[in-house]
Amino acid sequence: MSAIPAAMAANEAPWKLPSRGRVGMLSLIIAESAIFTIFVAAYILYIGKSISGPTPRQILSVPIFITVCLLSSSLTMHWAVAALRKGKTGSFALFWFATLALGAIFLIGTGREWHHLISQEDFTIQTNLFGTTYYSLVGLHASHVLVGLIALAIVMILALLGKVKCEHWERCEVLSLYWHFVDAVWVVVFTVVYGLGR
Amino acid sequence: MAIPKSSRGVVSEWLFTADHKKIGLMYIVYSLLFLVIMGIEAILMRIQLAHPHASFMSPQAFNRLFTLHGTTGVFFVAMPILFGFGNYLVPLMIGARDMAFPRLNAFSFWMTAFGGFVLYASFFAGGSFLQGGSAPDVGWFAYAPLTSTTYSPGHSTDYWTLSILLAGVGSVGGAVNFIATILCMRCPGMTLGRMPLLAWMNLVMGGLVLVTISPLTAAQIMLMVDRYMSGHFFDTAAGGSVVMWMHFFWIFGHPEVYVLIIPCFAFVSEIVPVFSRKAMFGYPAMVAASVGIGFVSLGVWAHHMYTVGMPSYGNAFFVLTTMIVGVPTGIKIFNWLATMWGGKIRFATPMLFCTGFLFQFLIAGLTGIMLATAPFDWQLSNSYFVVAHFHYVIVGGILFTIFAAFYYWFPKMTGRMLNETLGKWHFWIMVIGFHLTFDFMHIPGLLGMPRRVYTYEPGRGWETWNLLSSIGVVFQAAAVLIFVYNMIQSYFKGAPAGNDPWDAWTLEWATTSPPPDYNFAAIPEVRSRRPLWDIKHPEDPDWKYE
Amino acid sequence: MQIVGLKLWQKCGLWLFILLFCTVTITLAAPLRHAISPTNIFAPDSTPAHSIYRLSIFLLEVTGAIFVIVFSLLAYAVIKFRKRKHDDDSEPPQVYGSNQMELAWTVLPVLIVVVLFVSTAQVIHRVQDAKAPDRAVSVTAVAHQFWWEYRYSQFGLVTANELHVPVSDSKNPTPTYLALLSADVDHTFWVPRLAGKTDLIPNHPNTMWIDPQETGLFLGQCGQYCGTQHAKMLLRVYVQSREDFDRWVREQQQPANSDPSVAAGQALFVTKACFACHTIRGTIAAGKVGPDLTHLMSRDTIASGALPNTPENLRQWVHNPNAIKPGSLMPVPDLSDQELGQVTAYLLTLH
Ligand code: HEA
Ligand code: HEA
Ligand code: CUA
Ligand SMILES: [Cu+2]
């Protein structure tokens, strides 16, 4: 009794299952969202609770430029995947590189903001409650951008070596899901840190 | 070290395996090891608590013991053993050749394993071994600010945080894998509505892990920021709130207990029908109840916090949501009863353990309802009544069903039956020990005995009950020893099992015992929830009714 | 499959049943007996505890009924439907479900939940949202690792470990309102016969109230794990008649005795740094880390109820607090035998 007879009824639709890459990535995104939810909740609950200064208003300036960069990288990412799907490896590499560059600009921007805060304003994770929540939340997001950039860079190298083909478009799409997620989280972080919190 | 060639092959075969069955077995063996360790910790605690004002151990040692006992129990016994069974069974039951991401699977196991080693490394990290080394002593929910560097100097708490963080990463990896496997790897014909209930419940468990372990991970990161970088998340002097830790912990902690019990419900849902010789009663309702429990359980966490001074409407809200969980749970109990009703029940050991579960879980659930009643909980919270409640669920519910699962699937895993006579001894001694220990624990709770005390005052009416509880552990230890002996003995000498010793109906029984690496020679196709029933009863197959 | 050892099953089943029967009777009967334990939650003596008690009895009835019903169904199924020796191997009729029955066992529990919720919500409201009458006594309780500080700002006095409150008679209630604070970690105030527990959390003030209806001593202990000596953070509440209470307040308001015969001990109290942690009103000792010792000898116990307050125990305590309460935050003082005698003699005059 090692094989179960193929007893499929004739009227059943052909057997089709969701792609495990996509399901896996979506699951991961759900888990990550839960982590961010907790950090965002902590940030919101601690707004205005610091006993000593400085306050967000005194030292934070709104990082419009890098935000625009990051958000537009979602667009280039989308185009890159679309291009690959159509087999246009050349424009894929171009858009992929644009995404990588925009993400890197964002990360550098965050780094510069932190550098400014730490060296000019003397504001660190230890300064007060605001410092703790600010660096943790923004840092958590930045670390996700970093992970994304590393993944993007690996694909970029493979693409330059000519190893990325049309049939890989689904894998790239799975990766793009992560990247879109990181962007979406930034929208929340941005609203909370530079909007609500200020 | 010179390891002989042949055994090097075996070692690396296991160390680097990505096969779901091997990983599953490693999870299981690993958890059994920790079960014995945490059981020994429990024995030591019960010796200390047998009499008032006992001086068997120092308060520091006792506090370390219950912290390790609880942490080990939840993260390194219950979670991994259930993940182990899930790993072994899910692909077999849905007719797949492996999990969706075999290498992620191996990674998850090793993260979890590593977490356990980190926790116990603390024993050897300075300080007297007999005093618990520098093991953590903050309790398994580690309330702030006791965990801050002010009140927990040294590194004991760091071991705790780090080990939980690692285990958490492992669990999330495992959950991603479960979900992807169940959704994307089913064999042809196995629609969601035809999946074995075990697959369904592991799916729900996976989903719960995603949304509950992650908050714990977040909270651990915050605690680490506080401890390593002098952050202020839980620093009241800087305006921080320690109640926030409680919320974050229980947002994890409550759904976690359902993460643990739902796979156990799954075992019961597979075993009870087979031994009653009837189809599961109300399959759709069982699925709906599992999903329902999953969702509702996300909104009940603050029933662990009735005493922290929430406003009255807050308390009332959590009373309501918590009690609502009783409804889907009740549906399950009644469906199992209905499955037994009118059957021809064979009381082989797996079924005995399931019956014990039904009885004990009923009581445990009802004491849960008492605790859910906020005012009653103002008295009972953090008392031995709570300890009794949760051991009733965890030991009387989870451990009993895990034993049932062992007796049921051991033949599949090893090709040999466990000895039934020893199984009966195991069951009855365990029942006696369990009830001696945990029935009598309710009473000191009602008489005002708080938990986590290394000793207690005489003259409060607690002595007898504590002594009885302590005596019960002897029986439990004997039962576990019988069980371990039975496994070893049967592994080598047990009666051959054959493919399908229980005359069961799900796909894992359609392949050899133990299954080959690729599980199935040909990927099966199914038309109903009980594919093997269809084969055995071609005159009256299930699919006619579904 | 044959059932191995049916005899064993029957024997043990009987055993189990006897065990259970005893358990249930003991669980129900023993706690109900009044004052079987000084900390019995089923022997309430104050309105909040009473409200909880009534609710809990109702709850025990409801859950008890559910238990009896479901247990009977289970027992019936186990006995009636088990496979007999002479049964053939045919399968029993397959039943896949029944909408009516499943609906029934969904709706009934929902109704039970509604009833339980409504009765619970009422009690929550009654206990938690009660308004303090003007005559209420208010006390601030501050929890420390591992002892209790009580501030009666109304009367300008501070004491430790033993809480004194006036009895409250139902016609003329004088409840006591406790403001609950913590100086370090989380603790819980739990005197089972007077009220349910409430946490003392740093930076998160809480309140609770009691209105004991009988005089006497009520015991309890810290209910939240708070560190090494959580076990010996005991609670003692002395409920006194109004006159006794007023007398106690007047005595406590006095500054400390100063008896010239123990001047040596008093001096040591300063030179040995005791004053850095302890307050003795009327002297320069104004420490806040340890219990107020102004009227130490008016207390029955020391070290938060861990020991009776006898001269010998006091001496032992000052000699080495860690031997009595390992992990307590009072350091081992550096005192010679003679000095120890002098300090103890001084402490013994603090009536
Ligand atoms: C697997 C583990 C598990 C499970 C399944 C449960 C199930 C439940 N638990 Fe338990 N619980 C724990 C593990 C578990 N618990 C642990 C570990 C702790 C302590 C943590 C710590 O502090 O260390 C704890 C603590 C705990 C508390 C906090 C006590 C305190 O610290 O103050 C509360 C309070 O509400 C509670 C309630 C419940 C309820 C209502 C259920 C319900 O799910 C039960 C539902 C089941 C039934 C109700 C029975 C069957 C139903 C019927 C027959 C239908 C008819 C019934 C009704 C309509 C009522 N639990
Ligand atoms: C999976 C979870 C799990 C399991 C299985 C158990 C099992 C047991 N637990 Fe545990 N327990 C918890 C989870 C669990 N517990 C948690 C989460 C806490 C809260 C911790 C906290 O407060 O932070 C707790 C707390 C806790 C306390 C309260 C401590 C306190 O508050 O002060 C006690 C006290 O008696 C106790 C006892 C027991 C006993 C007797 C068993 C028995 O069932 C154990 C039976 C098993 C064995 C006995 C092992 C067999 C041993 C051998 C085969 C070796 C034989 C060797 C020799 C005899 C030398 N547990
Ligand atoms: Cu204070 Cu426990
Ligand atoms: Cu809970």
Side-chain angles (χ1 to χ4, degrees):
Chain A
M1 202 176 37
S2 57
I4 308 291
M8 298 266 293
N11 57 358
E12 295 208 357
W15 191 238
K16 219 170 150 283
L17 289 167
S19 112
R20 61 188 160 155
R22 224 168 290 171
V23 170
M25 183 52 82
L26 286 177
S27 306
L28 190 72
I29 286 176
I30 292 176
E32 294 274 22
S33 317
I35 295 190
F36 276 105
T37 308
I38 295 295
F39 273 90
V40 168
Y43 196 96
I44 294 177
L45 289 171
Y46 277 160
I47 288 174
K49 293 278 161 57
S50 282
I51 284 174
S52 56
T55 64
R57 200 166 265 293
Q58 285 162 345
I59 50 172
L60 286 190
S61 50
V62 185
I64 303 274
F65 174 63
I66 61 170
T67 302
V68 172
C69 286
L70 190 67
L71 294 187
S72 38
S73 77
S74 254
L75 216 59
T76 54
M77 174 63 107
H78 179 75
W79 288 331
V81 175
L84 189 63
R85 189 174 183 177
K86 290 194 202 108
K88 298 186 204 153
T89 41
S91 47
F92 163 74
L94 208 68
F95 282 126
W96 198 265
F97 180 76
T99 314
L100 191 62
L102 289 169
I105 294 176
F106 174 83
L107 206 59
I108 294 168
T110 307
R112 287 180 44 146
E113 181 179 352
W114 282 26
H115 181 76
H116 167 80
L117 289 174
I118 294 169
S119 61
Q120 316 280 272
E121 308 277 357
D122 205 15
F123 175 72
T124 69
I125 199 164
Q126 307 178 356
T127 307
N128 59 12
L129 205 53
F130 161 52
T132 305
T133 51
Y134 167 79
Y135 282 106
S136 306
L137 181 57
V138 175
L140 189 70
H141 178 260
S143 64
H144 280 76
V145 176
L146 186 65
V147 170
L149 284 181
I150 294 172
L152 288 180
I154 293 172
V155 176
M156 193 69 228
I157 293 168
L158 289 176
L160 291 180
L161 295 176
K163 294 247 169 71
V164 180
K165 303 263 169 51
C166 180
E167 70 255 31
H168 297 123
W169 79 269
E170 251 197 285
R171 291 195 184 183
C172 290
E173 194 190 4
V174 168
L175 189 55
S176 82
L177 286 179
Y178 176 83
W179 191 255
H180 294 315
F181 164 70
V182 171
D183 278 9
V185 169
W186 179 250
V187 176
V188 176
V189 172
F190 183 85
T191 323
V192 168
V193 174
Y194 301 96
L196 265 183
R198 222 164 137 267
Chain B
M1 268 217 302
I3 306 171
K5 256 244 153 72
S6 60
S7 70
R8 199 184 300 165
V10 175
V11 169
S12 63
E13 186 188 326
W14 284 86
L15 274 185
F16 302 113
T17 184
D19 173 54
H20 75 99
K21 295 184 290 301
K22 289 212 171 71
I23 293 176
L25 290 179
M26 286 200 292
Y27 265 120
I28 291 173
V29 171
Y30 167 88
S31 328
L32 282 179
L33 186 78
F34 276 113
L35 174 68
V36 171
I37 294 179
M38 69 96 77
I40 292 174
E41 284 159 358
I43 294 174
L44 294 174
M45 285 195 290
R46 285 313 325 170
I47 295 178
Q48 165 73 10
L49 291 174
H51 299 287
H53 284 179
S55 52
F56 176 69
M57 65 176 74
S58 69
Q60 287 90 349
F62 185 90
N63 296 342
R64 293 193 166 117
L65 281 184
F66 73 68
T67 304
L68 285 176
H69 168 84
T71 309
T72 313
V74 172
F75 294 102
F76 303 114
V77 178
M79 286 282 274
I81 212 165
L82 297 170
F83 270 58
F85 274 103
N87 248 301
Y88 198 100
L89 296 173
V90 165
L92 282 170
M93 291 179 86
I94 61 173
R97 293 225 153 104
D98 205 328
M99 297 285 276
F101 309 109
R103 267 172 299 172
L104 173 65
N105 205 15
F107 170 79
S108 308
F109 168 72
W110 288 107
M111 285 304 264
T112 311
F114 196 54
F117 298 142
V118 167
L119 186 63
Y120 278 85
S122 62
F123 261 104
F124 305 96
S128 145
F129 182 76
L130 288 180
Q131 298 282 308
S134 41
D137 61 353
V138 288
W140 88 282
F141 44 76
Y143 272 3
L146 201 59
T147 47
S148 68
T149 40
T150 324
Y151 302 106
S152 288
H155 288 297
S156 58
T157 303
D158 299 327
Y159 286 101
W160 184 82
T161 338
L162 194 63
S163 87
I164 306 280
L165 200 67
L166 290 171
V169 173
S171 305
V172 170
V176 169
N177 224 334
F178 276 128
I179 294 176
T181 307
I182 295 172
L183 291 183
C184 315
M185 311 282 285
R186 282 165 286 135
C187 67
M190 186 168 286
T191 57
L192 288 178
R194 288 180 192 155
M195 284 201 304
L197 280 172
L198 186 135
W200 258 112
M201 295 190 193
N202 273 283
L203 182 64
V204 173
M205 182 267 262
L208 270 180
V209 167
L210 292 187
V211 291
T212 64
I213 298 278
S214 307
L216 178 69
T217 306
Q220 302 293 358
I221 296 174
M222 291 178 185
L223 183 58
M224 285 186 160
V225 167
D226 274 15
R227 286 185 64 88
Y228 290 116
M229 302 194 236
S230 312
H232 305 288
F233 275 113
F234 309 114
D235 174 5
T236 47
S241 154
V242 298
V243 178
M244 200 150 94
W245 169 271
M246 302 182 190
H247 279 293
F248 292 167
F249 187 88
W250 290 118
I251 284 177
F252 147 76
H254 184 83
E256 166 71 9
V257 307
Y258 294 102
V259 167
L260 300 181
I261 199 82
I262 285 180
C264 297
F265 289 166
F267 299 154
V268 180
S269 307
E270 295 301 331
I271 294 172
V272 164
V274 168
F275 288 87
S276 309
R277 307 308 304 157
K278 279 180 66 210
M280 184 69 221
F281 189 94
Y283 173 102
M286 287 304 266
V287 171
S290 308
V291 177
I293 290 178
F295 273 107
V296 180
S297 75
L298 296 178
V300 307
W301 74 88
H303 67 217
H304 296 268
M305 298 168 57
Y306 288 140
T307 63
V308 303
M310 280 186 292
S312 50
Y313 55 84
N315 281 331
F317 172 80
F318 285 103
V319 170
L320 184 60
T321 53
T322 305
M323 286 186 175
I324 287 176
V325 179
V327 177
T329 317
I331 294 180
K332 294 192 163 210
I333 299 224
F334 292 121
N335 277 353
W336 288 319
L337 282 177
T339 306
M340 293 164 71
W341 210 265
K344 284 186 184 171
I345 308 172
R346 300 180 309 197
F347 281 100
T349 315
M351 189 62 192
L352 280 182
F353 274 105
C354 283
T355 314
F357 159 84
L358 284 175
F359 171 63
Q360 282 143 202
F361 184 72
L362 171 65
I363 299 180
L366 294 176
T367 54
I369 295 294
M370 297 179 201
L371 293 170
T373 313
F376 203 6
D377 186 73
W378 292 333
Q379 290 285 17
L380 298 176
S381 181
N382 273 326
S383 75
Y384 259 83
F385 191 89
V386 174
V387 179
H389 157 72
F390 70 75
H391 283 90
Y392 240 91
V393 219
I394 291 187
V395 179
I398 296 176
L399 204 56
F400 267 62
T401 50
I402 287 175
F403 287 143
F406 266 108
Y407 283 91
Y408 186 63
W409 279 294
F410 187 91
K412 180 52 55 185
M413 294 169 174
T414 64
R416 289 180 189 275
M417 306 295 287
L418 281 168
N419 183 314
E420 276 286 304
T421 316
L422 284 178
K424 299 252 149 65
W425 279 101
H426 171 201
F427 173 71
W428 286 109
I429 295 178
M430 189 69 201
V431 165
I432 293 169
F434 169 81
H435 285 278
L436 264 178
T437 304
F438 298 115
D439 291 8
F440 294 126
M441 240 180 221
H442 291 94
I443 300 169
L446 296 171
L447 298 182
M449 179 168 171
R451 64 196 276 203
R452 297 172 163 181
V453 291
Y454 73 97
T455 192
Y456 52 94
E457 300 298 304
R460 302 207 170 172
W462 305 341
E463 292 93 331
T464 323
W465 314 120
N466 274 293
L467 185 60
L468 284 170
S469 278
S470 297
I471 293 172
V473 189
V474 179
F475 289 85
Q476 292 190 58
V480 175
L481 281 177
I482 294 177
F483 169 62
V484 172
Y485 172 77
N486 192 356
M487 287 213 297
I488 296 171
Q489 150 93 13
S490 303
Y491 181 78
F492 295 108
K493 303 227 179 81
N499 290 356
D500 183 15
W502 308 113
D503 193 5
W505 302 312
T506 36
L507 285 179
E508 78 273 32
W509 306 105
T511 182
T512 53
S513 312
D517 274 352
Y518 43 85
N519 290 353
F520 299 97
I523 289 293
E525 287 187 24
V526 302
R527 291 185 72 181
S528 78
R529 288 171 201 146
R530 296 192 296 171
L532 269 59
W533 171 276
D534 294 353
I535 295 174
K536 292 171 186 171
H537 299 273
E539 76 292 350
D540 187 27
D542 255 7
W543 48 262
K544 283 196 185 153
Y545 304 97
E546 281 172 12
Chain C
M1 292 288 308
Q2 269 305 319
I3 304 160
V4 195
L6 201 72
K7 289 265 167 54
L8 179 76
W9 144 261
Q10 285 168 334
K11 237 186 283 169
C12 292
L14 193 67
W15 218 106
L16 175 67
F17 193 77
I18 293 172
L19 185 77
L20 271 173
F21 184 74
C22 297
T23 322
V24 172
T25 22
I26 291 167
T27 323
L28 290 181
L32 288 173
R33 237 179 290 136
H34 186 72
I36 187 173
S37 154
T39 44
N40 188 349
I41 68 167
F42 292 125
D45 196 55
S46 158
T47 305
H50 256 298
S51 313
I52 297 175
Y53 171 73
R54 276 194 301 272
L55 179 66
S56 65
I57 295 297
F58 175 61
L59 217 73
L60 285 172
E61 284 163 4
V62 174
T63 49
I66 299 177
F67 173 75
V68 169
I69 294 168
V70 182
F71 175 73
S72 316
L73 291 174
L74 177 63
Y76 184 80
V78 165
I79 295 165
K80 181 77 201 296
F81 299 113
R82 69 169 193 273
K83 185 176 193 252
R84 315 283 157 137
K85 280 227 174 67
H86 51 269
D87 275 356
D88 59 12
D89 276 343
S90 68
E91 305 281 19
Q94 301 295 307
V95 183
Y96 297 90
S98 150
N99 288 342
Q100 284 98 337
M101 286 172 71
E102 288 172 62
L103 196 66
W105 62 58
T106 310
V107 172
L108 273 178
V110 168
L111 294 180
I112 299 175
V113 165
V114 171
V115 172
L116 288 182
F117 171 69
V118 170
S119 37
T120 306
Q122 285 169 345
V123 177
I124 295 179
H125 177 68
R126 214 177 308 138
V127 173
Q128 235 186 311
D129 301 337
K131 291 271 163 311
D134 299 337
R135 299 166 37 92
V137 176
S138 58
V139 183
T140 302
V142 188
H144 299 253
Q145 280 179 323
F146 306 95
W147 60 281
W148 305 89
E149 174 186 346
Y150 298 115
R151 299 183 193 146
Y152 296 72
S153 350
Q154 232 170 339
F155 307 122
L157 72 90
V158 175
T159 180
N161 291 337
E162 294 181 357
L163 176 66
H164 287 248
V165 301
V167 72
S168 166
D169 78 68
S170 46
K171 278 177 229 100
N172 215 346
T174 45
T176 302
Y177 273 71
L178 295 168
L180 303 173
L181 309 175
S182 166
D184 36 49
V185 301
D186 304 345
H187 306 263
T188 299
F189 189 95
W190 186 28
V191 181
R193 296 189 58 201
L194 297 182
K197 49 176 88 61
T198 312
D199 293 355
L200 301 91
I201 301 169
N203 206 7
H204 182 99
N206 274 335
T207 56
M208 64 178 279
W209 62 283
I210 51 178
D211 60 344
Q213 271 121 35
E214 268 176 77
T215 58
L217 170 61
F218 293 82
L219 299 177
Q221 70 191 76
C222 175
Q224 181 66 275
Y225 178 64
C226 51
T228 314
Q229 272 300 346
H230 159 63
K232 290 204 177 161
M233 193 166 161
L234 308 178
L235 275 158
R236 303 170 69 85
V237 179
Y238 290 76
V239 179
Q240 296 174 302
S241 67
R242 190 72 214 193
E243 304 81 64
D244 288 351
F245 177 72
D246 290 338
R247 184 167 339 109
W248 178 81
V249 167
R250 276 195 303 279
E251 281 165 16
Q252 296 288 317
Q253 283 167 331
Q254 306 303 315
N257 266 352
S258 85
D259 185 339
S261 70
V262 291
Q266 185 168 1
L268 280 168
F269 199 82
V270 175
T271 53
K272 294 292 177 184
C274 314
F275 80 112
C277 298
H278 293 285
T279 297
I280 299 183
R281 258 176 291 130
T283 75
I284 64 162
K288 292 269 175 267
V289 181
D292 185 305
L293 300 180
T294 314
H295 296 285
L296 175 65
M297 297 318 289
S298 73
R299 303 206 274 268
D300 289 341
T301 60
I302 53 174
S304 204
L307 288 177
N309 188 0
T310 63
E312 187 42 36
N313 282 342
L314 204 54
R315 192 188 155 92
Q316 289 290 330
W317 172 262
V318 178
H319 176 57
N320 185 356
N322 247 316
I324 291 161
K325 217 172 151 177
S328 94
L329 294 188
M330 170 152 155
V332 180
D334 167 30
L335 295 169
S336 69
D337 255 10
Q338 190 203 359
E339 289 168 336
L340 183 61
Q342 289 168 334
V343 171
T344 316
Y346 169 58
L347 293 178
L348 287 172
T349 64
L350 298 173
H351 286 291

